[in-house]
Amino acid sequence: MPNASVKPDPRERLRRLEPTLRKRHLMFQGIRDFFAERGFLEVDTPVRIPCPALEEYIEAEPSGTWYLRT
């Protein structure tokens, strides 16, 4: 039975995930290259939500009848 007080090494987890992360990177890079070669422009679009989050210290920005995610 493993000792519950011993925390796993985050570097070991990264080593295990690296092949998957590399495949993901190559997939997204291929998609970006495909569209870039055809003259498309990549943009980030904001996320809209139907009601503002309950954060007293942040005032939500209206976007039509919805709000931008803070």
Side-chain angles (χ1 to χ4, degrees):
M1 175 178 225
N3 186 345
S5 66
V6 176
K7 294 186 178 184
D9 183 1
R11 292 171 296 190
E12 177 56 33
R13 180 170 179 181
L14 182 58
R15 278 191 287 275
R16 284 189 323 236
L17 288 174
E18 186 175 1
T20 301
L21 294 174
R22 286 196 184 280
K23 288 176 189 174
R24 181 181 186 276
H25 164 75
L26 292 172
M27 180 184 71
F28 279 107
Q29 190 62 53
I31 292 169
R32 286 187 173 103
D33 291 346
F34 174 87
F35 284 104
E37 290 168 2
R38 288 158 179 79
F40 287 85
L41 178 66
E42 181 178 353
V43 298
D44 292 319
T45 56
V47 175
R48 294 173 68 211
I49 55 176
C51 61
L54 299 175
E55 298 172 308
E56 298 175 11
Y57 53 92
I58 298 177
E59 190 171 323
E61 186 68 33
S63 174
T65 57
W66 285 36
Y67 297 88
L68 297 179
R69 184 178 67 189
T70 54

